[in-house]
Amino acid sequence: MMDGHSTQRELFASRPRWEEDDARQGTIATVVLPEGVDKPLDYLVPETLAATVEPGRRVRVPLGRGNRMRLAYCVAVRTADLPPTPLKSVAGVEDDRPLLSARMLELTEWMAERWMARRGEVLEAVLPAGVRARRRGRVDPLLVATGNTPARGPTPAQAAVLAAASEPLTAAVLAARAGASRAVVARLVKLGLLAPVGSVERPVGGGPRPAIVHDKPTALSPAQAAALDAIRGPLRAGRHETIVLFGVTGSGKTEVYLQAVEETVAHGRQAVVLVPEISLTPQTCDRFRARFGEVAVLHSHLTPAERHAQWREIAAGGVNVVVGARSAIFAPAPRLGLIVIDEEHESSFKQATAPRYHARDVAEWTARRAGVPLVLGSATPALETFARCLAGDWRMCRLPGRVGGSHLPAVITVDLRDRGARARGAISPRLAAGIRWALGAGGQVMLLLNRRGFATHVQCRACGHTMTCPQCALALTLHQPGARGVCHGCGLVTRLPSECPDCAAPGLVQRGTGTQRLEEQVRGAFPDAAVARMDTDTMRSRGSHERTLDAFRDRRIDILVGTQMIAKGLDFPSVMLVGVVNADAALHLADFRAAERTCQLVTQVSGRSGRGPLGGRVVVQTSTPDHPAIRAAAAHDYEAFVRSELPVREALLYPPFGSVVRVVVRSLDGRAAEDWAAHVADRLRREAAATGAAAVRVLGPAPCPIERLRDRFRWHVQVHGPDGPALRSLVRHATADLKTPDSVAWIIDVDPVDML
Ligand code: ADP
Ligand code: ZN
């Protein structure tokens, strides 16, 4: 048999002239536009560009009647018969090398289907802005002096450049400031005296932080050893498997990740470790740095140039360990050997804007394709994850006890329905006694209240009217100082009136306690204790989070009051008491995951107590002590909650027993939003009936739990079905040729984590 090429040439040669004219062959590039046109477009590749047009690079193509030049991603190139209507030609090539590998291109195609996203949107999302912004011949990383001493004295021009490079500058700016040529700058880079900042480790908050040294333990606990073995099997065999470490806080999960990564690196492979949010998990990052030295930490404070430099370094195989939040799953590691997701239940792994992907699913796809193990760890795995283990798809390793002899803290539940419990503000007498006990024993205290501000709402004493945001259907939160009304939906800050806008009665009352008021009450009740508050209001400036945690570690703070920020991944052995001020705060939200989230949050924050030799306690204040989520958290029995919750989800076809597609419609005009949502729901119902998809349920239209946000009225429709792909195809068909009126905007969220 001849190879394909010569066969074709032979055929061509033997064709009569008239036929050749009809079926001319050519090189065709399929391109996807980042925005605008949704469907892939074909362009002819002119001879002159044949060598450079390839999948993964961006090209310039003429679009529409006006033939305006647009940048587009080339996703495929093929040689084929040309269609009867002539194709437009690719006008130019943007990138000097592919930005996306074949695997990444395949991933974006899969993601577009999985989350009903536009392919162009997905392509943009998997590439950091710095990589996309880069144009051919204009690579300009920021350079700084490395501080290395030159082997031989540098020349005066070099010295001038080095002096200017005390702050990160581009090569061009550096050369201009120093009055030197670009060649001098390039020479200094070559000598290792200048380096791109992106590849230099820079701590998150700027300035060095004291490293907490967790020495490598001499021996793993039997549960840790079993978990590590479970990872090693597929790691050594080079096959994919998903291993879930279900281990209580302090059971040594991180140590297992560290040793699995160590083995991966020893085999010459790269490991990608995802954490929920870099700034909230500084200790985890520190431990990876301490163990491996060179770690690429992809955090949100990186400038586009820094991120680009990191990206290049990873792609070149120069970095073995990558730690980052959600989007680090797209790190272009060519020698990928292991993926780890810590705190895999966290909702921040799902992106809230298009493409609305979940990093856990992307990680599974990637690990499967690469034939490498995926490790998911949590003290409170998501129900989706639990179900996959129960179904036998994934392997669960339990780490039921804490390592190093410390015990899980005893939990005391305080029933807030007792008047006595609420007599003196947000801190019940038992919680106060617990705080006194911990402080008296030389311990520290953490108090969780997942509501920021001073008062959660402001109400008229006479008519009961609650002050709401003029732009949103949300109560205004009172913030001090200055008695400002702040909307947590849109961020609007207003002056609160002194009388009711509804009935003009004076005397508005401040109801509900936020972290500000709690802090004030704590200071009043414990005047000798050093108190600090950690929430997004106090943590606005860069590095403030680290400074507060450092102060807490150094015992300059006795009582730390905070929102869920304090619940994550922190390991402070002197914490003897954790107080959950209002465990029900999020329990009654109109979200099917409300119970799951509550159980996870209370369990996670409880795990901060009693890590040291002094032991610890947890006090949980709640109005619903018998709720399965609260009971399970109080008993350190998350699995009991899972057992009670799974049948509820199954009955309602909620994940993990089916897929949900949520359509959210927004409009400045309430009627238009409602009408459009009704129209979409109608289409969906008809499509479901036509396809005989009996198990599919269409719910709505209904106003969203937050009915109005930033002046826009919000309506939603939910579709549930047992089979994800079938459900998505149904929604795709039903919405394919909808002509959206100008007055409304709508989005599709597949398997949403935010139901509000
Ligand atoms: P998790 O990630 O499950 O919360 P960590 O891995 O952070 O648990 O472990 C909790 C603490 O115990 C850390 O300080 C860690 O250094 C220590 N540790 C972990 N494994 C062991 C072990 N086998 N022996 C002694 N100490 C250990
Ligand atoms: Zn608002």
Side-chain angles (χ1 to χ4, degrees):
M1 246 341 248
M2 286 175 283
D3 66 74
H5 266 291
S6 46
T7 316
Q8 270 176 5
R9 231 178 293 130
E10 234 97 356
L11 273 175
F12 248 76
S14 63
R15 271 182 187 172
R17 249 188 108 79
W18 57 268
E19 190 182 333
E20 198 182 324
D21 281 347
D22 265 358
R24 259 194 326 122
Q25 288 226 319
T27 307
I28 299 174
T30 306
V31 310
V32 172
L33 290 152
E35 52 193 60
V37 185
D38 195 6
K39 75 179 208 305
L41 303 172
D42 278 352
Y43 282 86
L44 187 69
V45 179
E47 195 81 0
T48 49
L49 296 177
T52 49
V53 173
E54 64 174 322
R57 293 205 212 193
R58 286 170 305 171
V59 292
R60 286 183 294 276
V61 291
L63 190 76
R65 266 204 227 129
N67 282 331
R68 267 194 40 211
M69 285 299 159
R70 294 279 303 269
L71 210 53
Y73 290 86
C74 174
V75 296
V77 175
R78 65 184 196 278
T79 304
D81 289 346
L82 296 176
T85 42
L87 289 173
K88 292 182 187 177
S89 292
V90 173
V93 179
E94 179 74 3
D95 306 304
D96 57 5
R97 75 188 77 190
L99 301 181
L100 296 139
S101 64
R103 189 207 286 162
M104 288 300 277
L105 284 171
E106 204 189 331
L107 173 66
T108 56
E109 192 173 4
W110 176 79
M111 285 175 68
E113 192 285 323
R114 176 66 182 79
W115 286 285
M116 298 188 68
R118 298 181 353 82
R119 180 95 184 269
E121 224 161 55
V122 179
L123 286 162
E124 294 273 281
V126 302
L127 288 172
V131 176
R132 278 185 276 125
R134 192 181 131 261
R135 290 172 146 264
R136 200 157 32 124
R138 289 205 354 221
V139 195
D140 264 345
L142 294 170
L143 299 169
V144 284
T146 56
N148 292 346
T149 34
R152 276 168 282 152
T155 65
Q158 287 176 335
V161 171
L162 287 177
S166 57
E167 57 176 318
L169 296 170
T170 63
V173 175
L174 259 181
R177 282 208 189 164
S181 73
R182 289 284 290 269
V184 177
V185 176
R187 175 95 189 117
L188 287 169
V189 173
K190 219 170 204 165
L191 290 171
L193 302 180
L194 285 179
V197 253
S199 60
V200 175
E201 258 302 287
R202 283 221 306 198
V204 180
R209 318 201 305 106
I212 343 144
V213 181
H214 289 259
D215 288 329
K216 190 169 169 177
T218 42
L220 292 178
S221 71
Q224 283 176 309
L228 187 60
D229 273 345
I231 302 167
R232 264 188 192 141
L235 192 64
R236 289 179 180 169
R239 78 183 145 80
H240 168 65
E241 189 176 345
T242 299
I243 298 113
V244 177
L245 306 192
F246 173 32
V248 298
T249 51
S251 60
K253 296 184 292 297
T254 309
E255 185 57 41
V256 176
Y257 312 146
L258 285 163
Q259 297 203 16
V261 169
E262 208 172 307
E263 177 143 350
T264 306
V265 173
H267 288 165
R269 313 287 290 272
Q270 293 165 297
V272 172
V273 180
L274 302 189
V275 294
E277 224 176 306
I278 292 284
S279 63
L280 296 185
T281 47
Q283 288 188 331
T284 307
C285 299
D286 286 347
R287 285 172 74 180
F288 275 89
R289 280 202 197 97
R291 192 72 61 90
F292 299 103
E294 180 134 6
V295 173
V297 178
L298 300 171
H299 53 73
S300 53
H301 295 304
L302 291 176
T303 65
E306 287 172 329
R307 190 170 282 264
H308 182 200
Q310 295 262 30
W311 216 248
R312 295 281 294 261
E313 187 112 358
I314 296 164
V319 183
N320 292 324
V321 185
V322 178
V323 180
R326 184 178 61 231
S327 64
I329 192 58
F330 305 121
R335 294 180 284 106
L336 185 67
L338 176 73
I339 303 176
V340 175
I341 305 186
D342 189 26
E343 309 287 8
E344 65 84 32
H345 64 281
E346 282 286 338
S347 46
S348 66
F349 287 120
K350 165 103 171 164
Q351 178 149 296
T353 54
R356 296 176 170 77
Y357 70 91
H358 199 300
R360 194 201 293 128
D361 300 297
V362 176
E364 195 199 10
W365 187 97
T366 305
R368 185 183 297 282
R369 177 66 65 189
V372 305
L374 166 65
V375 177
L376 307 175
S378 177
T380 55
L383 262 70
E384 284 86 346
T385 299
F386 238 98
R388 294 291 293 272
C389 296
L390 292 174
D393 297 346
W394 293 352
R395 174 163 179 186
M396 183 173 270
C397 295
R398 287 180 167 75
L399 294 87
R402 282 185 167 178
V403 283
S406 87
H407 294 284
L408 285 169
V411 181
I412 297 140
T413 309
V414 172
D415 190 339
L416 290 177
R417 289 169 304 184
D418 285 341
R419 288 200 150 271
R422 288 177 293 142
R424 271 173 293 147
I427 304 165
S428 66
R430 294 201 75 180
L431 177 52
I435 297 172
R436 270 195 297 279
W437 165 79
L439 295 179
Q444 290 173 295
V445 175
M446 284 173 130
L447 297 178
L448 171 83
L449 178 59
N450 214 7
R451 285 172 165 181
R452 59 198 178 85
F454 190 84
T456 55
H457 54 289
V458 179
Q459 217 175 16
C460 170
R461 202 191 296 272
C463 75
H465 177 82
T466 297
M467 306 306 135
T468 53
C469 173
Q471 310 191 120
C472 311
L474 287 170
L476 287 171
T477 302
L478 175 77
H479 282 241
Q480 296 290 13
R484 291 162 297 138
V486 178
C487 174
H488 288 180
C490 70
L492 184 88
V493 181
T494 54
R495 277 187 60 85
L496 282 168
S498 53
E499 54 190 42
C500 177
D502 217 39
C503 73
L508 300 177
V509 282
Q510 305 170 358
R511 296 208 191 274
T513 300
T515 44
Q516 282 188 341
R517 195 202 299 246
L518 178 65
E519 182 190 2
E520 192 180 283
Q521 289 179 2
V522 171
R523 286 186 195 278
F526 303 94
D528 298 331
V531 181
R533 172 163 58 93
M534 202 156 102
D535 54 28
T536 43
D537 295 317
T538 59
M539 297 297 130
R540 286 200 200 282
S541 71
R542 190 171 158 151
S544 51
H545 188 263
E546 288 72 22
R547 276 197 297 279
T548 306
L549 289 184
D550 289 343
F552 194 57
R553 181 182 309 113
D554 299 344
R555 312 290 304 269
R556 282 177 279 129
I557 295 169
D558 299 311
I559 304 177
L560 184 62
V561 173
T563 54
Q564 60 185 352
M565 263 186 190
I566 66 170
K568 292 175 192 170
L570 303 176
D571 183 11
F572 297 120
S574 300
V575 174
M576 291 178 66
L577 186 94
V578 163
V580 181
V581 175
N582 183 359
D584 325 277
L587 196 54
H588 307 295
L589 292 176
D591 183 329
F592 71 92
R593 288 194 187 83
E596 179 181 350
R597 295 229 178 91
T598 296
C599 191
Q600 287 166 340
L601 181 61
V602 175
T603 303
Q604 294 282 345
V605 74
S606 300
R608 309 297 133 220
S609 180
R611 290 193 165 215
L614 296 169
R617 294 274 184 284
V618 178
V619 176
V620 175
Q621 303 192 140
T622 171
S623 307
T624 50
D626 294 323
H627 191 286
I630 307 285
R631 280 169 72 149
H636 300 299
D637 191 356
Y638 180 72
E639 220 166 335
F641 168 75
V642 174
R643 282 192 300 272
S644 77
E645 184 72 1
L646 282 175
V648 178
R649 299 276 182 94
E650 188 163 19
L652 299 170
L653 267 193
Y654 270 116
F657 294 97
S659 189
V660 174
V661 176
R662 184 183 185 221
V663 175
V664 182
V665 180
R666 284 171 308 203
S667 175
L668 287 169
D669 176 353
R671 192 56 200 266
E674 180 178 356
D675 286 350
W676 187 251
H679 181 57
V680 173
D682 187 50
R683 284 282 198 112
L684 290 165
R685 286 203 171 89
R686 271 197 253 167
E687 184 73 25
T691 52
V696 170
R697 287 190 305 152
V698 180
L699 308 178
C704 294
I706 299 175
E707 288 181 36
R708 200 160 64 99
L709 197 63
R710 291 174 220 279
D711 272 337
R712 271 146 188 93
F713 292 87
R714 304 168 76 240
W715 283 72
H716 66 168
V717 181
Q718 288 181 45
V719 203
H720 296 220
D723 177 54
L727 189 68
R728 295 195 289 276
S729 137
L730 185 152
V731 175
R732 205 170 285 118
H733 275 121
T735 58
D737 52 354
L738 282 179
K739 291 266 177 292
T740 311
D742 289 341
S743 59
V744 301
W746 59 289
I747 58 110
I748 291 179
D749 193 355
V750 176
D751 297 329
V753 301
D754 175 7
M755 303 300 290
L756 302 179

